[in-house]
Amino acid sequence: MIIAVDGPAASGKGTLARRLAQHFGLNHLDTGSLYRAVAFRALAAGADPADPDAAVAAARQIEPSDLADPRLRDDKVAQAASLVAAIPGVRTALLAFQRDFARRGPGAVLDGRDIGTVVCPDADAKIFLTATVEARALRRFKELQAAGGPAIYERVLQDMMLRDARDRERRTAPLQRASDAFELDTTALDADAAFAAALRYVGGLKPRR
Ligand code: CDP
C-alpha cells in the first residue's frame, strides 16, 4: 500500500504521515528531507542553491545517511530547499529514490509537495493537508520556541509566505492538490483529530491491489 500526504509547510504532514505509517505497518519517507539535504550540501560547498549545476551535482551525491542530520531542520536550509526544489534536474535526480522507496517491502507513506501528483500518481490513498498560513506559522513558531532557539512570529510568517509562493508558483511539480486527493483542513484540528479524519478516509477506500 502507498499513501501520499502532500501540503504546505507546517500543515501537519510529517506527524500525520508517521502515525499512518505506524498504524498500517508501512515505511515512511519525509521527502522534504531530500530537498533539504541537497540544499545543505550546496550551501556547505559554498555554492548558490539557485545555481542549477551546483544543485544538480549536490542532488546526485545524496546518501540516505544525509537525511538524519539535525542541521537540515534549520530555517536557512528550508529556504534554500525551496530554491533547489524549483530546479527540474534536481527533482529528476531524486525521483527514482522516492519511487523505489515507495515500492519496497509492505509499501510506504511519503509526505511532500508532489507525491500524489508526480512521484506516486497511482498511490492507493492521497491526502492533501491545508491550514491557514497564520496557523501554520504559529505552529512553526512554537516548535522553534520549544527547541530553545530565537523566534519572532512575524519573521516566521514572512518566511513561510515566501516559501509557499515559491512552492506553488514553480513550473515543475508545484504544490498542488491531486484531483483525486482527500483534502483535510487542519487549521482547527490537533494531531489526534487530523489522524482520526485521515483514518476514516483511508479505511473507507477499496484496496487497488
Ligand atoms: O517541514 P516543512 O513542511 O517546512 O518543509 P519540508 O517538507 O521539509 O520541505 C522543504 C522544501 O522542500 C519545501 O519548501 C519545498 O520547496 C521542497 N519540497 C518539494 O519541492 N517537494 C517535496 N516533495 C518535498 C519538499
Side-chain angles (χ1 to χ4, degrees), residues 17-90:
R18 261 190 306 278
R19 291 182 69 166
L20 286 171
Q22 198 178 19
H23 182 86
F24 289 107
L26 301 170
N27 298 317
H28 169 230
L29 180 64
D30 159 15
T31 65
S33 68
L34 294 170
Y35 295 90
R36 287 172 181 261
V38 173
F40 187 77
R41 271 188 182 264
L43 293 171
D48 174 359
D51 169 19
D53 290 341
V56 171
R60 293 198 177 125
Q61 287 164 9
I62 291 301
E63 307 268 357
S65 59
D66 291 354
L67 308 183
D69 190 329
R71 290 173 297 179
L72 299 188
R73 308 322 308 167
D74 201 276
D75 246 29
K76 269 196 216 85
V77 177
Q79 287 297 338
S82 74
L83 291 173
V84 304
I87 300 169
V90 168

Side-chain angles (χ1 to χ4, degrees), residues 1-6 12-29 106-111 124-129 182 184 191-205:
M1 175 156 83
I2 297 175
I3 303 178
V5 180
D6 290 303
K13 301 183 299 290
T15 305
L16 178 63
R18 261 190 306 278
R19 291 182 69 166
L20 286 171
Q22 198 178 19
H23 182 86
F24 289 107
L26 301 170
N27 298 317
H28 169 230
L29 180 64
V109 184
L110 283 80
D111 71 86
D124 301 274
K126 298 182 185 179
I127 300 169
F128 191 80
L129 295 181
F182 166 64
L184 182 61
D192 286 345
F195 179 58
L199 264 191
R200 280 195 295 276
Y201 155 70
V202 178
L205 293 174

Side-chain angles (χ1 to χ4, degrees), residues 9 13 31 36 82 85 91 113-114 140 163 167 170:
K13 301 183 299 290
T31 65
R36 287 172 181 261
S82 74
R91 307 200 71 87
R113 303 288 188 286
D114 62 337
R140 187 54 46 93
R163 197 145 63 89
D167 289 346
R170 68 175 176 232

